[in-house]
């Protein structure tokens, strides 16, 4: 296993600028999730690392080796494609054993290894079948097996779960995480599903428009987003954003004052913040007119079973609030939105997070 | 009720018309097909059981024409020449066509033009091709002779020499029909999925292994279809040989089609020629069927 490093990687397709100076370092043995909306360049970044696409400029390192100009086969990586890319005319066993066969591993060793990974992924009974005789989930496991049959410098996975149904995705999510921990493999896992990224990865790199927005452990991505994009992209329902401005005793949200302690208020003032960000679960419903709560009226109520999502129309816009499972309310009813200002974060005019929330892990900016 | 009965009647009429309409519309086409395709076939079959003298039938002789074929040295020789010709031409066309298709799969400047140029021979009328090749091969004023003389050599004997004439014929066929192979195989290659090839490169396969382990196995069905098509077609080669050599020198390039033509129109043995062509038809049919069965087995395993 080895670390992986992108250094100023730029990739253009003709006039289209897909990666703009990507810098990314994945430490050895870490599971990195590359998260971003569709079309942001995740697959391109992975293909550049695999050697399937050449970067327009910049360098890629695997371990200490500059692999930028190497052929894919000389990079010592294993890749799971979004569409699995199994070899249609080979059996499952031949598919899994192909990377070994190419390297001239003797038959006996190959068989043993195929049996071993097939057992790990519970596809031992499928070894004689061909890919077209498999279900999506089984194909996915075969693709994984083909990747882990060797001990490469890094695993690359491109949305391997996106073709599976919701249930299977849930199970496979856990399985892949377990597998990668067990192999202690450097893994780059591309996904546009934030839940996958947060639950599986040691590190999450959020991309947008061909640029890296933030790379951090999942909890920090969630609690200390570097900017407005990360804040709203991660989290479901997304973080509430309301226009805000620093005032005398606190931050003004519309005509309401959100009281802040002096140091944070000073930081807000200095940064010239323009927006406040609040996670739905940090908000609660309150009686209308309760002091400190923002007044508004119910826009829509969505009971989820374990909780109720209440969308409230406030002065500066709508916010989602996570309420208890037995919340009852009618559309148009007056209501208050209460929250602890310590949980709020603030964005400046450039969309960067100027002041983070206070309480998580006791850290502050 | 009067109204309801009326409605049902219309509905029934409508249904009847709906059912008959497809057949009505097929009828003219079907009639033509029956007249043009089936009747001559039937007539040929009948002719093959008759003896002819000076081009007129003189009586039924059952299957005697068919029996006679297998002791006719000229027929057996023409069969052998045809098999050699088909096997050689089609093999070269397959290999060349595959290589060209692989080459033209890549994207580079001028690739569209190259692809277009490569299929031109296929669309030239066969007789014209043959005339052009005559001009190339002719020993007195042909281009090859001119070339050889320019380099200080003598006249090049192609059409006068049995071996050279046969090779020359194969070259002509390869020139004309490699494009068809190329076209079919290129379409096949372009329809293959991309990802397995990328996966193989990542898994460590070099260009040769990618070809041997992925491209070729995935292309086998297409290749087989192309070869079967070309083989059937090559068995019927006539116009090029007719223009180029008429089967000579001696019997060196006398394909079955030429022998059959001679039998029918030179020697006026219409019945015997009919039997010959029916036999060849059956042979080709059997060949095609077994090829397709083989293909299915390869595909299923
Ligand atoms: N071969 C190519 N030629 C031209 N443009 C391309 C090519 N490959 C990708 N692009 C463009 O680059 C951008 C990024 O593509 P990429 O496949 O990396 O997105 P992605 O983040 O993987 O998206 P998704 O989540 O939908 O898979 C897209 O706008 C796409 O249209
Ligand atoms: Mg993608």
């Amino acid at each position: 296993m080895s670390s992986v490093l992108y250094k100023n990687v730029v990739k253009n397709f003709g006039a289209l600028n897909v990666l703009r100076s990507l810098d990314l370092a994945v430490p050895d043995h870490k599971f990195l999730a590359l998260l971003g909306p569709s079309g942001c360049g995740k697959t391109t970044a992975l293909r550049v690392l695999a050697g399937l696409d050449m970067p327009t400029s910049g360098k890629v390192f695997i371990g200490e080796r500059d692999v930028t100009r190497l052929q894919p086969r000389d990079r010592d990586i294993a890749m799971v494609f979004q569409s699995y890319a199994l070899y249609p005319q080979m059996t499952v066993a031949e598919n899994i054993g192909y990377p070994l066969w190419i390297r001239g591993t003797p038959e006996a060793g190959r068989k043993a290894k195929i049996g071993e990974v097939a057992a790990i992924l519970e596809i031992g009974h499928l070894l004689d079948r061909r890919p077209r005789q498999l279900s999506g989930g089984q194909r996915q496991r075969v693709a994984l097996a083909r990747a882990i049959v060797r001990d490469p410098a890094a695993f690359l996975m491109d949305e391997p779960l996106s073709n599976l149904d919701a249930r299977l995705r849930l199970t496979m999510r856990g399985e892949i995480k377990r597998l990668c921990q067990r192999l202690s493999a450097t893994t780059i896992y591309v996904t546009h599903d934030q839940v996958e990224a947060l639950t599986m990865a040691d590190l999450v790199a959020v991309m947008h428009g061909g640029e890296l927005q933030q790379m951090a452990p999942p909890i920090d991505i969630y609690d200390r987003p570097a900017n407005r994009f990360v804040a709203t992209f991660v989290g479901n329902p997304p973080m509430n954003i309301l226009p805000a401005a620093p005032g005398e005793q606190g931050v003004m949200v519309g005509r309401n004052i959100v009281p802040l302690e002096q140091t944070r208020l000073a930081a807000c003032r200095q940064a010239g913040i323009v927006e406040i960000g609040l996670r739905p679960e940090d908000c609660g419903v309150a009686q209308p007119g309760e002091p400190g709560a923002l007044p508004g009226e119910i826009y829509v109520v969505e009971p989820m079973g374990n909780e109720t999502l209440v969308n409230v129309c406030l002065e500066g816009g709508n916010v989602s609030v996570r309420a208890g499972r037995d919340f009852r309310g009618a559309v148009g009813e007056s209501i208050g939105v209460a929250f602890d200002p310590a949980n709020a974060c603030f964005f400046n005019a450039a969309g960067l997070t100027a002041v983070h929330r206070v309480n998580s892990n006791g850290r502050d900016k | 009720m009067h109204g309801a009965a009326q409605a049902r009647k219309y509905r029934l009429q409508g249904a009847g018309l709906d059912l008959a309409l497809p057949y009505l519309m097929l009828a003219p086409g079907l009639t033509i097909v029956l007249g043009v395709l089936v009747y001559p076939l039937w007539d040929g079959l009948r002719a093959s059981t008759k003896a002819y003298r000076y081009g007129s039938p003189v009586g039924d002789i059952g299957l005697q024409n068919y029996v006679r074929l297998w002791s006719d040295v000229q027929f057996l020789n023409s069969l052998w020449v045809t098999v050699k010709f088909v096997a050689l031409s089609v093999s070269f066309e397959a290999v060349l066509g595959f290589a060209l298709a692989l080459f033209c799969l890549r994207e580079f400047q001028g690739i569209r033009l190259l692809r277009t140029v490569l299929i031109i021979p296929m669309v030239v009328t066969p007789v014209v091709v043959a005339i052009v090749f005559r001009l190339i091969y002719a020993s007195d004023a042909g281009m090859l002779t001119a070339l050889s003389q320019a380099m200080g050599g003598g006249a090049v004997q192609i059409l006068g020499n049995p071996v050279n004439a046969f090779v020359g014929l194969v070259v002509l066929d390869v020139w004309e029909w490699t494009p068809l192979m190329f076209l079919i195989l290129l379409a096949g290659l372009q329809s293959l999925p991309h990802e397995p090839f990328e996966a193989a490169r990542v898994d460590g396969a070099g260009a040769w292994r990618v070809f041997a382990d992925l491209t070729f196995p995935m292309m086998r069905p297409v290749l087989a279809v192309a070869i079967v098509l070309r083989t059937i077609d090559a068995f019927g080669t006539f116009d090029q040989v007719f223009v180029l050599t008429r089967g000579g020198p001696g019997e060196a390039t006398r394909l079955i089609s030429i022998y059959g033509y001679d039998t029918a129109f030179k020697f006026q043995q219409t019945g015997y020629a009919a039997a010959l062509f029916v036999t060849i038809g059956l042979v080709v049919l059997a060949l095609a069927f077994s090829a397709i069965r083989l293909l299915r087995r390869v595909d299923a395993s």
Side-chain angles (χ1 to χ4, degrees):
Chain A
M1 289 295 152
S2 332
S3 55
V4 167
L5 178 67
Y6 288 83
K7 235 182 181 169
N8 296 322
V9 172
V10 176
K11 176 70 189 175
N12 299 331
F13 287 112
L16 186 69
N17 186 205
V18 177
L19 294 180
R20 331 183 162 189
S21 190
L22 181 66
D23 280 298
L24 189 68
V26 190
D28 206 355
H29 301 303
K30 290 288 185 200
F31 188 122
L32 174 101
L34 203 51
L35 175 67
S38 191
C40 72
K42 305 179 298 286
T43 298
T44 308
L46 210 61
R47 290 174 58 87
V48 165
L49 178 59
L52 296 170
D53 283 335
M54 282 288 141
T56 309
S57 68
K59 288 192 151 116
V60 189
F61 293 83
I62 296 178
E64 301 300 306
R65 230 158 37 116
D66 178 353
V67 297
T68 316
R69 299 281 146 206
L70 292 187
Q71 282 292 313
R73 64 186 160 124
D74 299 323
R75 297 190 179 206
D76 191 25
I77 46 168
M79 185 157 171
V80 179
F81 289 74
Q82 188 164 350
S83 53
Y84 313 140
L86 299 179
Y87 307 129
Q89 76 295 344
M90 296 186 201
T91 64
V92 167
E94 286 165 349
N95 262 281
I96 299 176
Y98 191 70
L100 300 177
W101 188 75
I102 275 293
R103 286 173 176 74
T105 311
E107 165 121 38
R110 213 164 68 225
K111 271 214 162 120
K113 195 75 195 168
I114 293 170
E116 190 185 315
V117 297
I120 295 176
L121 289 160
E122 293 170 18
I123 46 175
H125 58 295
L126 303 174
L127 288 179
D128 293 329
R129 298 217 197 149
R130 275 168 211 274
R132 62 161 181 269
Q133 301 164 317
L134 301 178
S135 74
Q138 291 168 335
R139 282 179 209 185
Q140 206 263 321
R141 284 178 215 223
V142 176
L144 267 175
R146 187 174 65 186
I148 67 170
V149 77
R150 268 191 336 118
D151 184 25
F155 288 127
L156 317 186
M157 305 191 189
D158 191 359
E159 310 202 23
L161 303 185
S162 59
N163 287 341
L164 306 185
D165 72 52
R167 270 184 71 98
L168 196 55
R169 201 178 311 169
L170 213 68
T171 358
M172 287 310 297
R173 202 166 78 196
E175 305 242 333
I176 293 182
K177 183 173 183 177
R178 259 180 70 89
L179 191 66
C180 288
Q181 280 174 350
R182 174 171 165 179
L183 300 170
S184 178
T186 309
T187 306
I188 301 187
Y189 184 100
V190 164
T191 178
H192 60 243
D193 181 342
Q194 43 156 318
V195 182
E196 265 175 38
L198 295 180
T199 53
M200 298 173 77
D202 300 317
L203 285 169
V204 177
V206 181
M207 281 183 71
H208 178 49
E211 286 178 36
L212 181 64
Q213 305 291 309
Q214 183 176 12
M215 183 167 99
I219 190 70
D220 284 354
I221 292 283
Y222 194 77
D223 281 346
R224 305 175 64 77
N227 56 36
R228 199 177 185 282
F229 175 81
V230 177
T232 49
F233 186 71
V234 178
N236 187 26
M239 183 185 275
N240 299 306
I241 308 271
L242 291 170
E248 288 300 312
Q249 283 103 43
V251 167
M252 303 295 296
V253 177
R255 274 163 294 176
N256 304 282
I257 295 181
V258 175
L260 277 192
E261 42 179 290
Q262 278 310 314
T263 47
R264 296 189 84 209
L265 185 56
C268 282
R269 209 172 277 134
Q270 200 197 342
I273 61 113
V274 296
E275 280 168 327
I276 180 173
L278 282 168
R279 292 256 175 231
E281 64 272 24
D282 293 331
C283 302
V285 288
Q287 293 303 319
E290 199 174 293
L294 304 173
E297 55 183 49
I298 297 181
Y299 185 74
V300 68
V301 178
E302 299 168 305
M304 312 282 288
N306 58 343
E307 62 178 4
T308 308
L309 286 181
V310 187
N311 199 283
V312 181
C313 184
L314 296 181
E315 206 184 324
N318 279 26
V319 298
S320 293
V321 178
R322 287 203 149 124
R325 55 192 293 172
D326 29 68
F327 174 86
R328 295 286 177 275
V331 172
E333 213 170 88
S334 287
I335 198 172
V337 175
F339 57 90
D340 180 352
N343 290 334
C345 62
F346 299 91
F347 304 104
N348 65 17
L352 300 177
T353 315
V355 177
H356 285 284
R357 61 190 289 154
V358 181
N359 57 354
S360 95
N361 322 344
R363 281 180 293 178
D364 193 2
K365 181 183 172 209
Chain B
M1 291 292 289
H2 181 251
Q6 192 82 5
R8 193 157 66 235
K9 192 171 146 207
Y10 281 130
R11 211 158 51 231
L12 280 177
Q13 273 180 350
L17 191 64
D18 275 357
L19 283 176
L21 197 62
Y23 298 100
L24 283 176
M25 296 185 79
L26 276 176
L30 217 59
T31 314
I32 291 173
V33 167
L34 283 177
V36 173
L37 214 71
V38 178
Y39 175 72
L41 211 64
W42 169 242
D43 205 44
L45 271 175
R46 261 202 342 205
S48 73
T49 62
K50 288 183 178 149
Y52 280 73
R53 188 155 299 146
Y54 308 119
S56 310
V58 293
D60 287 329
I61 53 168
L63 294 179
Q64 272 181 42
N65 281 331
Y66 290 91
V67 177
R68 196 179 125 199
L69 271 175
W70 301 103
S71 52
D72 177 351
V73 185
Q74 296 194 52
F75 166 74
L76 292 176
N77 182 64
S78 73
L79 191 60
W80 171 233
V81 171
T82 307
V83 167
K84 269 196 308 189
F85 166 75
V86 170
L88 270 172
S89 306
V90 176
S91 321
F92 274 113
E93 284 156 22
V95 172
L96 253 165
F98 207 163
L100 283 172
L102 282 170
F103 180 74
C104 286
L105 199 58
R106 297 181 299 172
E107 291 296 331
F108 52 85
Q109 275 283 303
I111 181 68
R112 278 160 179 272
L113 184 69
L114 182 63
R115 283 181 199 148
T116 313
V117 168
L118 277 175
I119 61 171
I120 288 179
M122 197 177 90
V123 296
V124 180
T125 313
V127 172
V128 174
V129 174
I131 290 172
V132 170
F133 270 79
R134 260 193 94 94
L135 293 179
I136 296 175
Y137 291 155
S139 59
D140 42 3
M143 271 152 67
L144 280 180
T145 293
L147 204 69
S148 154
Q149 281 167 347
M151 295 191 303
V156 183
Q157 289 290 339
I158 301 276
L159 300 178
N161 172 310
V163 175
N164 291 356
F166 181 79
V167 172
L169 183 63
V170 170
V171 168
L172 181 155
D173 197 74
V174 169
W175 186 84
E176 185 167 16
W177 292 114
T178 298
L180 179 69
M181 280 290 183
F182 163 76
L183 211 59
I184 297 176
L185 295 175
L186 183 66
L189 284 171
Q190 282 173 336
S191 71
L192 295 183
H194 273 281
E195 291 89 353
F197 292 90
E198 296 190 329
R201 287 173 62 199
V202 173
D203 280 346
W208 165 246
R209 287 261 55 106
V210 168
F211 175 78
D213 298 339
L214 296 182
T215 316
F216 189 74
M218 282 159 109
M219 281 295 288
R220 209 151 45 188
V222 179
L223 192 62
V225 167
I227 288 177
V228 168
L229 270 178
R230 240 338 266 149
T231 302
I232 292 173
D233 198 37
F235 259 96
T237 306
F238 176 78
D239 16 12
Q240 295 95 320
V241 200
F242 190 75
V243 174
L244 200 65
T245 62
R246 296 248 163 149
E251 297 182 3
T253 60
R254 196 205 254 168
L255 301 184
I256 290 218
S257 56
I258 298 287
Y259 182 57
Y261 170 86
D262 287 348
T263 319
F265 299 106
K266 252 194 198 157
F267 313 137
Q268 308 257 313
Q269 301 188 6
T270 314
Y272 187 53
L276 184 152
F277 281 120
V278 168
T279 304
I280 292 308
L282 290 176
V283 167
V284 171
L285 212 63
L287 220 69
F289 268 120
S290 54
I292 286 166
R293 275 181 64 144
L294 197 75
L295 191 66
R296 280 226 191 94
R297 223 179 23 243
V298 167
D299 211 29
S301 70

